[in-house]
């Protein structure tokens, strides 16, 4: 089996804790809700998404010999 790449479905700003989830229907990031409250963070923040954290986009076996 060859390696597969999967996109992230959630992201959090490292500066203000804004949280977003990917919406497949809208094909866009949407502000996440926690107990009905939007996790907007600071609306004036230049968001620094945790793109190099623990998320691993590679699935499957990369050794296709």
């Amino acid at each position: 089996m060859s390696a597969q790449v999967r996109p992230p479905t959630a992201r959090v700003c490292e500066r203000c804790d804004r949280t977003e989830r990917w919406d497949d229907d809208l094909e866009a990031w949407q502000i996440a809700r926690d107990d009905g409250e939007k996790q907007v963070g600071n609306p004036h923040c230049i968001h620094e998404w945790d793109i190099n954290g623990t998320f691993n986009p590679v699935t499957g076996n990369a050794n296709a010999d």
Side-chain angles (χ1 to χ4, degrees):
M1 173 170 42
S2 63
Q4 301 292 316
V5 177
R6 64 183 173 92
T9 57
R11 63 186 184 184
V12 177
C13 176
E14 293 181 329
R15 295 180 183 206
C16 73
D17 292 328
R18 177 187 180 106
T19 305
E20 295 183 345
R21 303 262 180 243
W22 181 256
D23 186 309
D24 285 330
D25 295 332
L26 296 174
E27 296 183 346
W29 290 101
Q30 298 295 304
I31 298 172
R33 293 179 178 267
D34 186 17
D35 290 331
E37 185 176 330
K38 286 185 176 181
Q39 303 301 298
V40 297
N42 180 344
H44 303 291
C45 179
I46 300 174
H47 302 298
E48 180 74 29
W49 303 114
D50 182 16
I51 60 171
N52 56 354
T54 59
F55 177 75
N56 183 357
V58 179
T59 62
N61 183 357
N63 298 327
D65 291 328

